[in-house]
Amino acid sequence: MTGEAFWKRLAVITLAVLTLFLSERVLRDYLFSATVPRAVVPREDLGPDEKRNARIFQSVAPSVVSISTQQGQRRFDSQVGGSGSGFVWDAAGHVVTNDHVVANASEIAVVFEDGRAIPASLVGTAPWADLAVLKLSVVPPDLKPIKVGSSHDLVVGQAVLAIGNPFGLSHTLTTGIISALDRQLPTQSGRIVTGVVQTDAAINPGNSGGPLVDTAERLIGVNTAIIAPSGTFAGVGFAIPVDTVNRIVPALIKDGRAPLPGIGIGVVAEEIAKQAGIQGIVVASVQRGSAAEAAGLQGLSARGELGDVIVEAEGEPVSNVAELSLILERVGIGNKARLTAAREGREREVTVTVQDINDR
């Protein structure tokens, strides 16, 4: 076969192959292109967890609201869903949210699932627990107060669900588990909330003040914070425990304020005490007329010399204010707490009456 004949035959074969390839593509497009709506494939029944989540959302969502605020002359937050979340507490029109959601607000509006926006007034706040109670100006007859659970019997690993308005996206459901219990969370007031619930259910800006619920559709916490350098969810969220909420909210509704158990002392920062090798709560100052003064506790002298260091409360070792506050809450305002205090190398037991130190 000459060279010319070879190249002619190769060209013919190549042309034939291209023709077959193009014809196959044209034929396939003609036969298989979906030029009409596709047939719907029947879905199998939802799984047990899916059914449970859907049921819980349908039941709890009507109790969840978004909170829009106005500060000074600024207009209400223009984002859909507002600046935070909240939930209906009772049939009288009280709504619970975070204190930081409504702090410094000149006007507040509560937006329901169906889009109704109702002005609300501030009834009272507990900044040390990051809680606030609002009152609707008009009380709809179809209000659905949230079911209330307990936080003392929660366990790590149990399923939880969060409903709120992250990034202004109204009534968003996220799911997860309780990742840890008894966390401590500092608030903008400078105090520490104890017994905080940690969860991996996604909590983002806008979820603040919304409910964390269990699979029995009960409130077990109020979502309040995340730990994330970027400001968005990174797997760690926190909720104020419902036992704390259920103690503070009724007091705010009744009196506009909530009692804060204490004994009337100022303390040296825990980090400074540790650096100095001191174990316990270093009393820096004692308020005049306080229970601590009546019990004979002493703070630092004018020359900076140590006074009392509280090392135990009710027989339990304490190393910071958060631990002491938790014990004082258990003892209760008006009751007496047993403290062990060290001064000049000697320990002694003192009895202090727990008092209300809320000066707001």
Side-chain angles (χ1 to χ4, degrees):
M1 180 183 297
T2 64
E4 183 178 354
F6 170 79
W7 288 111
K8 285 183 178 180
R9 177 172 293 184
L10 181 61
V12 170
I13 293 172
T14 302
L15 182 60
V17 171
L18 287 173
T19 301
L20 288 173
F21 176 74
L22 293 174
S23 298
E24 188 274 337
R25 288 191 58 182
V26 171
L27 183 62
R28 185 173 66 246
D29 287 346
Y30 176 76
L31 293 176
F32 301 116
S33 292
T35 57
V36 296
R38 295 281 310 278
V40 175
V41 177
R43 186 191 68 192
E44 295 183 0
D45 197 11
L46 294 176
D49 289 344
E50 293 173 311
K51 287 182 178 180
R52 180 199 66 192
N53 293 343
R55 170 183 54 79
I56 294 171
F57 178 79
Q58 291 168 2
S59 176
V60 177
S63 304
V64 182
V65 298
S66 62
I67 309 294
S68 292
T69 61
Q70 178 180 346
Q71 296 183 0
Q73 300 301 314
R74 292 176 57 190
R75 295 183 176 181
F76 281 111
D77 193 315
S78 59
Q79 291 182 340
V80 177
S83 56
S85 303
F87 52 88
V88 177
W89 181 259
D90 59 28
H94 291 106
V95 172
V96 175
T97 186
N98 281 149
D99 172 69
H100 78 260
V101 170
V102 295
N104 303 316
S106 58
E107 295 184 44
I108 304 170
V110 174
V111 184
F112 286 83
E113 185 182 24
D114 59 7
R116 288 176 296 174
I118 300 178
S121 57
L122 185 63
V123 172
T125 66
W128 64 88
D130 199 15
L131 293 173
V133 175
L134 312 176
K135 180 68 164 64
L136 298 174
S137 61
V138 177
V139 181
D142 58 346
L143 280 183
K144 185 177 181 181
I146 199 166
K147 297 177 183 177
V148 175
S150 61
S151 49
H152 72 275
D153 56 356
L154 299 176
V155 297
V156 174
Q158 78 175 78
V160 292
L161 303 90
I163 303 176
N165 309 285
F167 304 111
L169 301 173
S170 178
H171 285 80
T172 297
L173 171 71
T174 56
T175 63
I177 61 170
I178 292 177
S179 305
L181 294 167
D182 296 324
R183 295 301 195 202
Q184 298 178 3
L185 186 68
T187 63
Q188 293 180 351
S189 71
R191 289 186 65 90
I192 294 176
V193 183
T194 58
V196 172
V197 180
Q198 180 183 325
T199 179
D200 68 348
I203 297 173
N204 279 296
N207 275 113
S208 293
L212 186 71
V213 299
D214 62 12
T215 54
E217 305 172 8
R218 308 177 310 159
L219 177 74
I220 59 169
V222 178
N223 299 319
T224 188
I226 58 174
I227 290 182
S230 66
T232 57
F233 180 69
V236 181
F238 298 102
I240 306 299
V242 69
D243 290 353
T244 299
V245 178
N246 209 11
R247 177 177 62 83
I248 291 176
V249 168
L252 292 178
I253 293 173
K254 181 181 178 181
D255 301 319
R257 64 186 297 280
L260 179 60
I263 57 175
I265 60 173
V267 304
V268 173
E270 181 183 359
E271 295 77 10
I272 296 176
K274 285 184 176 180
Q275 289 174 3
I278 301 173
Q279 298 295 321
I281 302 170
V282 178
V283 179
S285 61
V286 177
Q287 297 175 3
R288 290 183 179 273
S290 68
E293 184 183 52
L297 291 176
Q298 294 183 9
L300 299 174
S301 70
R303 293 180 296 180
E305 297 171 334
L306 276 180
D308 283 305
V309 178
I310 300 172
V311 294
E312 288 186 359
E314 292 295 299
E316 300 179 25
V318 291
S319 59
N320 54 55
V321 173
E323 293 173 351
L324 176 61
S325 298
L326 187 61
I327 294 172
L328 295 180
E329 284 188 17
R330 290 205 309 258
V331 172
I333 292 173
N335 298 319
K336 296 185 181 298
R338 294 179 295 106
L339 305 181
T340 300
R343 189 195 304 171
E344 297 179 349
R346 300 178 60 184
E347 293 186 356
R348 73 190 193 286
E349 185 173 287
V350 296
T351 301
V352 184
T353 300
V354 182
Q355 66 180 113
D356 179 7
I357 61 171
N358 180 10
D359 57 0
R360 289 186 55 129

